[in-house]
């Protein structure tokens, strides 16, 4: 992968969380909660003052860092922002001597194609299961698929 900084990328932090959550609600990239931004670096591209694309880091097992929260508003898709931000986050991960990895829902074929075009390769298919606590109501979270494709470099 040609990891490189993105010329329009800005760092996103706790003050940006309301706008990030709005972008997540519109694009549904997967799990992203109000404190997710605290898990690693998040970069975004702003247009008209608002973030229209972002990518960041979440899980960090030793020697690795997950690229997560990759999303692009529909109004700017096809401009290379998602791919550019994935490359930029991967660049920062590489600067620390770590290896980037990511995962995507198998049903999200557009994302899988993008990640493969950037040099990521399918490593395994994962099925996520949930355990239910007896007596507690089930509250589904939108945007959380039951199947996922795990990709890594």
């Amino acid at each position: 992968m040609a990891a490189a900084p993105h010329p329009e990328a800005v760092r996103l932090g706790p003050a940006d969380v309301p706008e990030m959550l709005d972008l997540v609600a519109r694009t549904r990239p997967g799990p992203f909660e109000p404190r997710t931004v605290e898990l690693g670096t998040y970069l975004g591209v702003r247009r008209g003052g608002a973030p229209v694309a972002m990518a960041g880091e979440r899980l960090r097992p030793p020697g690795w860092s997950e690229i997560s929260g990759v999303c692009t508003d529909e109004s700017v898709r096809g401009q290379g922002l998602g791919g550019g931000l994935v490359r930029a986050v991967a660049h920062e991960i590489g600067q620390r001597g770590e290896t980037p990895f990511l995962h995507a829902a198998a049903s999200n074929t557009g994302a899988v194609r993008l990640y493969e075009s950037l040099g990521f390769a399918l490593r395994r298919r994962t099925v996520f299961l949930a355990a239910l606590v007896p007596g507690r109501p089930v509250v589904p979270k939108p945007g959380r698929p039951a199947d996922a494709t795990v990709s890594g470099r």
Side-chain angles (χ1 to χ4, degrees):
M1 174 197 319
H6 188 283
E8 291 184 81
V10 296
R11 289 197 182 277
L12 301 174
D16 301 300
V17 166
E19 293 174 307
M20 294 168 80
L21 290 171
D22 181 60
L23 179 60
V24 164
R26 292 192 317 272
T27 59
R28 302 178 66 173
F32 188 92
E33 302 293 333
R35 294 190 62 197
T36 302
V37 71
E38 297 172 23
L39 299 176
T41 300
Y42 273 82
L43 301 176
V45 171
R46 290 180 174 276
R47 299 273 168 87
V52 293
M54 72 174 187
E57 299 174 76
R58 192 172 57 169
L59 302 175
R60 294 189 57 197
W64 298 81
S65 186
E66 176 196 21
I67 297 177
S68 183
V70 180
C71 55
T72 304
D73 186 85
E74 192 172 323
S75 68
V76 294
R77 285 196 185 139
Q79 298 179 22
L81 299 179
L85 289 173
V86 168
R87 283 189 196 95
V89 173
H91 176 74
E92 296 211 0
I93 292 168
Q95 293 291 304
R96 296 193 306 263
E98 297 174 344
T99 301
F101 74 98
L102 49 83
H103 65 267
S107 59
N108 191 348
T109 57
V112 172
R113 270 194 314 273
L114 170 66
Y115 302 145
E116 289 176 339
S117 77
L118 294 174
F120 287 90
L122 175 65
R123 290 180 57 116
R124 72 180 49 101
R125 293 191 183 277
T126 304
V127 176
F128 290 95
L129 303 173
L132 301 177
V133 177
R136 282 204 167 156
V138 176
V139 181
K141 290 202 171 199
R144 294 206 179 170
D147 66 324
T149 302
V150 178
S151 299
R153 211 170 54 129

